[in-house]
Amino acid sequence: MCSQAANPMMSQVCQNLERIRYNVENARTKYRSVNEKIDIMAVTKTVDTEKINFAVESGITLLGENRVQEFLSKKDEYLLEAQVHFIGHLQTNKVKYIINEVTMIQSVDSVRLISEINRQAEKNGRIMDILLEVNIGLEQSKSGVSAQKLKELALQAAEYKNVHVRGLMAIPPIGADESLYAEMNELYHKLDESNIDGIDMDILSMGMSGDYELAIKHGSNLVRIGTGLFGARNYNITEG
């Protein structure tokens, strides 16, 4: 449970979190089996560490980081209870800065990036969990592999020993037809049924503040909530 805070800003975060939890549980009850677990990730882009740590103290166990420079400037202030996933577009020359700081990289969409993650992971004696990002709406402004090229990328990823594909990530277009969510769910299950050695499909990361209930209906078990949890934010910070 989220404990109400005297600070009005924290109190609002608490109320938002309780509403999100209620909606997630309601969607799970409506659309999913009783034993399925759905994780709520707090997306921390431009959010101050006080709010982030309050969310962690209130039971959030996953944080989603979009920008390498911003993350590096804040990470030492974070409570240690939560895992951090990188969810933003990641340039290959910045992999080395986060390889030992995050537990998963969700936004992986090219062999070039996979190769660099593998190289840095091997150099640091670890195996990095990754998700393959699908550009399900074929939007030019978004990263991600096309649905048609997903299996090819998965087969290539499976050849690398220091990366471990755990599932898929997607950002459907705002107001997208429900069929796109169903298509992502189908892609997820088809890849799972392919039984590719070295790939374990247990995460479908889909759904944000405006569509997480619809995403849960179509198989998402990890929803990424930023604005819905922390409120409107300042997006003027640029990536260095």
Side-chain angles (χ1 to χ4, degrees), residues 38-61:
I38 299 165
D39 287 314
I40 299 169
M41 168 180 282
V43 177
T44 57
K45 181 166 62 176
T46 78
V47 179
D48 64 69
T49 54
E50 185 182 7
K51 276 187 177 181
I52 294 166
N53 286 336
F54 178 77
V56 174
E57 289 173 339
S58 300
I60 287 290
T61 59

Side-chain angles (χ1 to χ4, degrees), residues 53-92:
N53 286 336
F54 178 77
V56 174
E57 289 173 339
S58 300
I60 287 290
T61 59
L62 288 176
L63 303 179
E65 294 285 344
N66 291 79
R67 295 163 169 164
V68 172
Q69 184 177 348
E70 182 189 351
F71 169 50
L72 294 177
S73 73
K74 297 194 300 188
K75 68 180 182 64
D76 291 337
E77 299 175 43
Y78 287 174
L79 296 175
L80 297 178
E81 290 90 326
Q83 296 183 40
V84 178
H85 291 189
F86 193 82
I87 63 174
H89 177 67
L90 181 60
Q91 299 170 10
T92 55

Side-chain angles (χ1 to χ4, degrees), residues 43 52 69-70 97 100-101 113 115 118 121 127 130 139-140 155 157 163 168 179 197 215-216:
V43 177
I52 294 166
Q69 184 177 348
E70 182 189 351
Y97 298 116
N100 288 319
E101 307 293 343
L113 181 55
S115 177
N118 184 80
I127 295 173
I130 66 171
E139 296 177 277
Q140 291 186 353
L155 288 167
V163 298
L168 305 180
S179 62
D197 287 343
I216 291 168

